[in-house]
Amino acid sequence: MGVAYSVFIKPKYTAVSTFVLDENDHEGLMGQYAGLASLAGIDLSGGNGIFKGDNILELYKSRSMIKKTLLTEAAFNGKQQKLIDRYISYNNLLERWKNHDDIVRIDFNGNPDNFNRIQDSLITDIAKTFNKKSLDVSKPDKNLVL
């Protein structure tokens, strides 16, 4: 039974990101988090309060943040591969797309600003799937004592 389970059930990978935001207004606060916001394509050169309330939670779930993450390369078995290509392969999405949408091959190399409609639509669909099924962005209870 154990062998059958290991063959048919895919492993589930979990990543945790924890950070603390200072709620007091400090002059250097925007500079400290500008790098994080730039990952999602947000310009912090003007304005204030982007990290107030639940905005940071929405930043983590944004399509832009997920897209930039998916287009990042990582080493798998000693070979560099984009996370989106790994996700497509792991979930056999190309087979589904071939049968349903006539997509035989898809390439996410190059400048993301120049992606065609199909590439952009697939990234959007994957980002929606992540938000619904895989991504859990939450904040702990303020009264929680560690």
Side-chain angles (χ1 to χ4, degrees), residues 10-28:
K10 291 184 177 183
K12 183 176 182 180
Y13 300 98
T14 304
V16 177
S17 174
T18 305
F19 57 92
V20 176
L21 294 176
D22 186 4
E23 298 219 4
N24 298 326
D25 288 331
H26 295 293
E27 190 172 298

Side-chain angles (χ1 to χ4, degrees), residues 1 7 13 25 38 40-42 44 48 54-55 57 59 61 73-74 77 80 83 90 103 113 115 121 125 131 139 141:
M1 243 170 59
V7 169
Y13 300 98
D25 288 331
S38 68
I42 298 173
L44 294 180
N48 198 354
D54 291 335
N55 289 348
L57 301 178
L59 180 64
K61 297 187 296 185
E73 286 192 355
N77 299 323
Q80 287 295 112
L83 294 176
Y90 183 81
I103 298 172
D113 294 333
F115 281 173
S121 295
D125 288 344
N131 274 325
K139 64 181 181 179
D141 185 0

Side-chain angles (χ1 to χ4, degrees), residues 41 63-64 67-68 71 108-117 119-120 123:
R63 180 193 179 280
S64 180
K67 177 181 178 179
K68 288 183 188 246
L71 296 176
F108 291 99
N109 292 317
N111 185 352
D113 294 333
N114 297 329
F115 281 173
N116 62 35
R117 184 187 58 81
Q119 291 167 311
D120 197 51
I123 289 173

Side-chain angles (χ1 to χ4, degrees), residues 38-54:
S38 68
L39 289 174
I42 298 173
D43 180 17
L44 294 180
S45 59
N48 198 354
I50 185 122
F51 295 110
K52 300 279 187 200
D54 291 335

Side-chain angles (χ1 to χ4, degrees), residues 93-103:
L93 295 179
L94 199 54
E95 288 297 317
R96 280 191 239 162
W97 294 337
K98 184 177 12 173
N99 295 333
H100 186 262
D101 300 317
D102 295 326
I103 298 172

